[in-house]
Amino acid sequence: MAIDTIKWVNGAVRIIDQTLLPEKLVYINCRDVKTLWHAIKELKVRGAPALGIAAAYGVLLGIKDFKGDSTPQFARHVCDVCDYIAKSRPTAVNLFNALGQMRLLVLYNPDKPVAILKAVLEAEANAIYEEDRAVCRAMGKHGAALIKNGMTCMTVCNAGALATADYGTALGVFYAAKEAGRKFSVYSLETRPLLQGSRLTAWELMRNKVDVTTICDNMAATVMKNKKVDIIFTGADRIASNGDAANKIGTYMLAVLAKHHGIPFYVVAPKTTFDLKIKTGKQIPIEERAPEEVTHFGLRPTAPKGVKVFNPAFDVTPNELITGIVTEYGIVRKPYVKNIHETFRV
Ligand code: MRU
């Protein structure tokens, strides 16, 4: 599990370049906010909680070179940096929640000197990082109780150590179950088009000696029918007040298949992935990415030149297909509107 996906080191954001996995494990240092912005956009760093942390540290990069001692000017600059980072990727609400926290600190402290505000912002970014480590462990503990000896599990995309500051959300459940001595196996969907399932999830589960089998996305129904899948865990990028959950494209398909086969379908996500300002999943902005991600496999074309492409990076699973949402506070079940609000006491 010990893998430093993202860390603030000597005034730089050190990340694993996840586009190079599983072939190479390469760390890169983002020393300015523009480099970090592109790393987010290109999925060198990815996964909702890691994006929240990257955004917070991105603010530190953006204020590094601010000269002067005018607090109002500094506050405007922090807001500009936040606006810039907010344009990197639209779906994972963790990114916006972290930026909101950083922004509020300067707006609520108009009388503090710039030097103090810089220190406060750094402490806040580090707190966001540390909080994610703690909540991964709490979610893992709650979710692991659902895994019994001999179970066959399934997951999609990568909601593991590579998506968080610790051992992940959905994959954290597997790690916690393994730590508790449970024996189980995992089917990991490869997750077209960018293969986070086969490149990242299979890589980190194998590294941590979890029994994992990679399958193509279109094999999920057959595996459910013939191999007896007992339970499914996925991550989320944004969960609405009613429990509708956006996650990597293909998650909705998996939930529909799970219902057909009578398989419990759990979403694992911390409070920072909830967007309680929105009522339903219809309000979640879904990122659409470049057509080349679908028409090419690396440099090799896999579709005719000029073909029309639709490439949404996420889909929304309606709450009725979700058996439960594993959070750091425990497992939230239906009715979601009431129970989500009670869990987070809003
Ligand atoms: O496009 P990505 O790789 O950032 O998508 C990631 C996912 O969909 C994850 O499942 C989600 O962010 C949860 S990560 C704990």
Side-chain angles (χ1 to χ4, degrees), residues 11-253:
V13 186
R14 196 189 66 189
I15 56 167
I16 294 175
D17 180 349
Q18 297 192 28
T19 61
L20 302 177
L21 285 171
E23 218 179 343
K24 290 185 216 147
L25 176 57
V26 176
Y27 285 87
I28 53 173
N29 288 309
C30 302
R31 298 185 193 281
D32 57 79
V33 65
K34 202 168 160 207
T35 307
L36 183 75
W37 192 96
H38 284 281
I40 292 174
K41 185 86 192 159
E42 291 156 24
L43 273 54
K44 289 178 179 171
V45 58
R46 41 138 312 274
L51 289 178
I53 296 161
Y57 285 142
V59 173
L60 303 188
L61 293 178
I63 61 171
K64 236 176 21 175
D65 296 330
F66 181 88
K67 305 275 183 281
D69 50 17
S70 157
T71 297
Q73 270 178 23
F74 181 69
R76 269 197 299 279
H77 181 70
V78 169
C79 290
D80 289 347
V81 172
C82 289
D83 290 345
Y84 173 66
I85 297 170
K87 292 198 182 82
S88 56
R89 292 191 76 192
T91 304
V93 77
N94 307 59
L95 183 141
F96 300 92
N97 285 340
L99 292 176
Q101 272 176 251
M102 300 296 271
R103 206 189 290 257
L104 279 188
L105 277 182
V106 285
L107 297 179
Y108 281 171
N109 290 290
D111 303 326
K112 295 257 184 335
V114 171
I116 299 287
L117 285 177
K118 282 188 171 181
V120 168
L121 287 170
E122 181 161 349
E124 187 73 3
N126 284 328
I128 289 171
Y129 170 89
E130 290 300 340
E131 187 193 340
D132 186 54
R133 292 174 69 79
V135 299
C136 281
R137 294 287 154 163
M139 287 182 289
K141 195 166 142 255
H142 294 303
L146 299 165
I147 298 185
K148 311 281 177 252
N149 269 328
M151 270 191 169
T152 302
C153 311
M154 191 176 259
T155 191
V156 62
C157 194
N158 174 268
L162 290 167
T164 62
D166 193 67
Y167 67 5
T169 60
L171 300 195
V173 169
F174 300 145
Y175 295 137
K178 189 172 162 58
E179 278 164 7
R182 239 79 26 90
K183 303 262 184 288
F184 58 93
S185 60
V186 178
Y187 279 97
S188 158
L189 268 63
E190 70 173 345
T191 319
R192 277 281 288 153
L194 296 180
L195 307 177
Q196 288 93 330
S198 55
R199 290 190 306 104
L200 309 178
T201 291
W203 179 80
E204 66 163 273
L205 289 181
M206 281 179 79
R207 234 173 108 100
N208 291 297
K209 305 204 172 0
V210 174
D211 179 351
V212 59
T213 303
T214 292
I215 57 168
C216 299
D217 303 336
N218 53 6
M219 298 168 188
T222 287
V223 171
M224 287 182 193
K225 191 172 167 197
N226 299 333
K227 303 269 185 186
K228 201 182 95 55
V229 173
D230 298 292
I231 193 162
I232 298 174
F233 294 98
T234 78
D237 283 80
R238 192 183 291 233
I239 303 177
S241 310
N242 70 342
D244 290 350
N247 191 47
K248 179 53 56 192
I249 189 75
T251 306
Y252 170 43
M253 171 188 77

Side-chain angles (χ1 to χ4, degrees), residues 277-324:
K277 292 188 294 308
I278 61 170
K279 285 199 168 125
T280 77
K282 285 202 184 84
Q283 292 161 274
I284 299 177
I286 299 294
E287 177 182 14
E288 279 187 39
R289 295 185 59 87
E292 292 72 27
E293 292 180 353
V294 175
T295 58
H296 286 69
F297 194 74
L299 292 177
R300 187 176 159 219
T302 54
K305 205 169 174 195
V307 69
K308 284 197 281 181
V309 172
F310 177 47
N311 184 18
F314 300 94
D315 56 27
V316 177
T317 300
N319 60 9
E320 69 265 20
L321 297 180
I322 300 171
T323 311

